[in-house]
Amino acid sequence: MTAPDRRERRWRATDRPDDRGRPPGSLVVALLLACATLITLDYRGGADSPLEPARRALGEVVGPAETAAAAAVRPFTAVPDWFRSHDSLREDLDDLEAENAALRAQLRSSGVDRNRLEEYDGLTTAARDLGRALVPARVVGMGPSQSFSRTVTIDAGSEAGLTPDLTVLNDDGLVGRILRVTRTTATVLLIVDPGSTVGGRVGDSMEVGFLTGRDEIGDGGLLDLELVDESVVPARDAPVLTWGSEGGAPYVAGVPIGRVTRVYSDVRETTQRAVIEPYVDFGALDVVGVVVASGSDSDRAVVEADGSLR
Amino acid sequence: MTGVRIVLSALALAVALVLQVTVFSHLAWQGVVPNLCLLLVVATALVRGAQPAMLLGFAGGLLLDLAPPADHVAGRWALALVLVGYVAGRMRQDTRPTAVAVVATVAACSFVGTSVFALSGLLLEPHAPGVPHLLAVIGVAVVWDVALTPFVLPAAMAGFRRLDPQRVPA
């Protein structure tokens, strides 16, 4: 390319500054300052940050869209799910068949819509064990790992009687707690998120400790258990349950969390640490239940403590 | 025309976000999904330059920061995608970009965007993950974004080209 040519092109460049590579400096500065302002506002604000109303407003719009999209793709996503769970279920088939027969007998006598009940009978058992009511919901959106936080959206919100800091579980065990709600959706912080802390009790020794999400890449997720009494060594395969928060928020007591898979002692901090494998498969979350006070108002059928639908 | 362009761009971002959290979460590998909003920002930058791409990146980042189920300090994705818009805009050529150039741009931008987000997390979040975890996630994210480039970028670039009134069709 000759020199005049190059100059010519440079002239054109100044004619249309936004169409060439370099954007105007004022725009760059303005956008970067805007980002810095947002980060500062939200970071300093914490739980009652000035961006919470914006979060909620956007959730009111995006939430229903996520619910609709999840419903639209559910028939397709159910196919690989079916194959995957088919493999793992085959092992448990014998046990479940006996249990199923008993549940079916119950269903026939209850006279409620059988198909719907079948979907919820896992949850029903969970509600009976805990003595509380459950609002059933489905997971409609999952936060990507790129965001480095483990959160999901469920399709029940304040209209279903949900408020922040309620326990979320499924028929395998503890899933997480509700962070914030919109009218029709809620955001759930999973227990495998590194920022989540749950009070846990080792089932066979009644020792208490704290479970935090383990920093690991993967669909599933593991938890770290740190016991309060540092002289106790938790046994392998011991079950861990929640010990419950005051007033049942954010975690109710007695929900199974997972089992101990590995134990190691931290010499520097002189504590015992155990790795917990959660009972819940966080890569394939679908139907979950939110623990509410028995008899609370909801826009859907609530699974009551005695196992009945209301 | 400008109004239509803004509305359509916003709509494209919203669709990308919803697909990302609902549909692609089922295809996620190690929990990482392709970042469709980032791909849209790169497409805008390659067709229309850095300025619109940075604006779109800011809007898309804000959407990623605030829409459920996000729960991190808001403004982090906005910052990452503004920088992606800037970088992709600087990589833009006068001629129509070749396939190799597009893929290289996406790879570079995906790396820059995910890294900026991850690094801001190290500074701001109390429970930031360790560096090996960050690198693994960034690596998977780049692979995902590059893998989806042939499906998303041509369509998105064609779309933005049609919306651009000043530009003669190349």
Side-chain angles (χ1 to χ4, degrees), chain A residues 62-248:
Chain A
V62 178
E66 284 177 16
T67 308
V73 298
R74 198 162 285 145
F76 304 100
T77 55
V79 176
D81 235 30
W82 189 82
F83 283 111
R84 191 167 55 206
S85 53
H86 190 75
D87 279 347
S88 58
L89 279 182
R90 201 167 264 283
E91 301 161 15
D92 302 333
L93 201 59
D94 293 335
D95 298 345
L96 286 176
E97 257 172 7
E99 203 180 318
N100 249 347
L103 284 169
R104 276 219 189 84
Q106 265 180 31
L107 289 186
R108 268 188 221 105
S109 58
S110 71
V112 192
D113 180 6
R114 241 167 84 185
N115 283 332
R116 194 170 51 177
L117 254 184
E118 241 160 46
E119 178 103 279
Y120 296 137
D121 52 41
L123 287 180
T124 312
T125 1
R128 201 181 304 140
D129 292 348
L130 291 168
R132 295 193 189 237
L134 284 179
V135 174
R138 298 191 90 140
V139 171
V140 294
M142 282 194 192
S145 280
Q146 284 108 310
S147 292
F148 300 104
S149 58
R150 303 291 301 268
T151 49
V152 297
T153 314
I154 57 173
D155 65 351
S158 53
E159 278 183 353
L162 306 193
T163 54
D165 281 343
L166 291 177
T167 313
V168 183
L169 43 80
N170 72 3
D171 48 354
D172 292 324
L174 184 67
V175 170
R177 69 180 161 95
I178 293 187
L179 282 175
R180 57 179 74 86
V181 292
T182 69
R183 258 178 344 100
T184 52
T185 58
T187 305
V188 177
L189 181 74
L190 304 181
I191 52 170
V192 286
D193 184 278
S196 145
T197 304
V198 189
R201 187 191 287 284
V202 181
D204 49 4
S205 63
M206 301 301 274
E207 284 299 328
V208 291
F210 294 95
L211 293 126
T212 47
R214 209 172 150 82
D215 163 29
E216 246 169 40
I217 186 170
D219 291 329
L222 296 169
L223 298 160
D224 263 332
L225 169 69
E226 196 166 341
L227 289 175
V228 174
D229 183 351
E230 52 224 45
S231 61
V232 181
V233 182
R236 258 186 72 103
D237 284 335
V240 179
L241 294 91
T242 54
W243 52 277
S245 326
E246 193 183 330

Side-chain angles (χ1 to χ4, degrees), chain A residues 9 18-21 27 35 38-39 42-43 55 66 77 140-147 151 153 179-180 195 215 219, chain B residues 21-22 26 30-33 50-51 62 68-74 77 79 90 92 94 117 124 127 129-130 133:
Chain A
R9 287 180 52 159
D18 57 336
D19 225 8
R20 297 280 307 147
L27 178 82
C35 293
L38 278 174
I39 291 175
D42 202 31
Y43 184 68
R55 277 209 166 92
E66 284 177 16
T77 55
V140 294
M142 282 194 192
S145 280
Q146 284 108 310
S147 292
T151 49
T153 314
L179 282 175
R180 57 179 74 86
D215 163 29
D219 291 329
Chain B
V21 295
T22 57
H26 294 285
Q30 303 284 311
V32 181
V33 300
Q51 182 171 351
L62 216 53
D71 182 50
H72 48 260
V73 175
W77 270 122
L79 176 67
R90 295 306 303 274
R92 178 168 164 260
D94 263 354
F117 183 85
L124 295 168
H127 304 282
H133 182 175

